[in-house]
Amino acid sequence: ETGVTQTPRHLVMGMTNKKSLKCEQHLGHNAMYWYKQSAKKPLELMFVYNFKEQTENNSVPSRFSPECPNSSHLFLHLHTLQPEDSALYLCASSQESGGGSNQPQHFGDGTRLSIL
Amino acid sequence: SQQGEEDPQALSIQEGENATMNCSYKTSINNLQWYRQNSGRGLVHLILIRSNEREKHSGRLRVTLDTSKKSSSLLITASRAADTASYFCATDALWAQKLVFGQGTRLTINP
C-alpha cells in the first residue's frame, strides 16, 4: 500500500480532449509534486506545491494546469495535448519541500497517458 | 546541471551475487537519496544519506557517499530475483527546492 493513490492508472485521449489526473495522499504530508517520466529520459519535475501554494513550475507548457485544493489532493488538468506528452505521470508527496528538508518522497504508481 | 548520473545504465547478474551501482553529481548537495522502481509502478524510497555521512546501511543495502568526488554507490548484497528493478539516485541541492533524479540503472537478477 503506497499511501499515495493516483487515478486513473491508464488514460488514452485524443489531442482535443480535456481530462484530469487525480492524486491523493493519506500520509499527512504538506508538499506534493507532479513528475513526468518518459522512456530513456530522467524523471522530470513539473510542479511543486507546498502547503497548497505552488512553489515550482518547471517551464511546463500551459496545456498542463495543476490544481491543489488542499494538502491531500492534487490534480493535473490536461487539454490540447501533443503526442510527445505521452508518458507516465507520477505524483509524489513529502512532509515538506525545499532544499535541506532531508525528506524522502513517496510516490504513487502513476497514470500511463497515451495521446492519440 | 545538478543531475545525477548513474552507472552502469544496465546491469545483469546471477541471483546471490552482489550488485553495485554508482551515481555522480555536479554541485554541492544537502543529501542524496536512492529509489527503486519496479516495472509499471512508482518509485520507492530506499535510503537517504546526508552530506556529512559517508556510509549508511539498511538491510542488504549499503550506500556510500564521497562528497570530494561527488559520487555515491549503492550496493545490494546477496541479490534476489525480487531486486530486479530500476534504481535511481536523486540529489537535493543546498540551493534548490527540488530533488533532481538521474536516468537510473536497470538491474536484472537472473535466477
Side-chain angles (χ1 to χ4, degrees):
Chain A
E1 187 175 328
T2 170
V4 179
T5 304
Q6 289 188 245
T7 55
R9 289 295 312 277
H10 301 273
L11 179 62
V12 179
M13 57 188 285
M15 289 191 285
T16 58
N17 291 160
K18 290 184 180 181
K19 296 286 184 183
S20 296
L21 310 185
K22 179 182 176 182
C23 175
E24 182 174 3
Q25 58 98 359
H26 312 275
L27 301 169
H29 290 164
N30 296 308
M32 296 187 78
Y33 312 79
W34 279 117
Y35 288 90
K36 176 183 179 182
Q37 187 175 37
S38 305
K40 300 183 180 180
K41 293 177 72 175
L43 204 62
E44 299 173 56
L45 179 66
M46 301 174 72
F47 302 103
V48 180
Y49 279 82
N50 204 22
F51 293 94
K52 301 190 297 179
E53 297 297 320
Q54 187 180 123
T55 56
E56 178 95 16
N57 177 337
N58 202 24
S59 302
V60 180
S62 59
R63 57 186 184 269
F64 295 92
S65 175
E67 178 189 2
C68 187
N70 54 62
S71 292
S72 299
H73 293 86
L74 185 64
F75 296 89
L76 188 62
H77 303 300
L78 316 172
H79 65 95
T80 324
L81 295 193
Q82 304 299 309
E84 62 265 27
D85 297 324
S86 296
L88 180 67
Y89 288 85
L90 292 164
C91 173
S93 70
S94 66
Q95 188 59 45
E96 59 187 77
S97 71
S101 63
N102 289 323
Q103 297 296 326
Q105 293 184 12
H106 298 254
F107 285 79
D109 283 335
T111 294
R112 174 69 62 185
L113 177 65
S114 298
I115 307 301
L116 300 178
Chain B
S1 112
Q2 175 64 58
Q3 183 178 353
E5 296 180 2
E6 287 93 341
D7 170 59
Q9 290 190 350
L11 178 62
S12 180
I13 61 173
Q14 295 300 119
E15 194 166 19
E17 294 180 339
N18 296 342
T20 300
M21 289 157 275
N22 302 296
C23 170
S24 60
Y25 57 92
K26 296 180 181 177
T27 64
S28 296
I29 61 172
N30 183 67
N31 65 64
L32 186 144
Q33 303 180 32
W34 285 92
Y35 289 79
R36 183 189 75 231
Q37 184 178 33
N38 291 87
S39 181
R41 305 296 298 273
L43 280 70
V44 174
H45 179 258
L46 295 176
I47 200 163
L48 181 153
I49 186 165
R50 292 179 170 79
S51 60
N52 62 353
E53 296 176 313
R54 291 298 166 257
E55 188 170 311
K56 206 161 183 180
H57 296 255
S58 177
R60 293 183 296 112
L61 306 181
R62 173 179 169 252
V63 168
T64 61
L65 179 64
D66 187 335
T67 53
S68 67
K69 295 181 179 178
K70 293 187 171 55
S71 67
S72 174
S73 67
L74 170 67
L75 168 67
I76 303 174
T77 60
S79 63
R80 305 167 181 169
D83 295 328
T84 293
S86 292
Y87 291 81
F88 297 87
C89 69
T91 50
D92 181 358
L94 289 171
W95 45 267
Q97 299 289 314
K98 57 189 179 184
L99 285 180
V100 179
F101 288 81
Q103 288 191 282
T105 293
R106 189 167 58 253
L107 175 65
T108 302
I109 309 299
N110 302 304

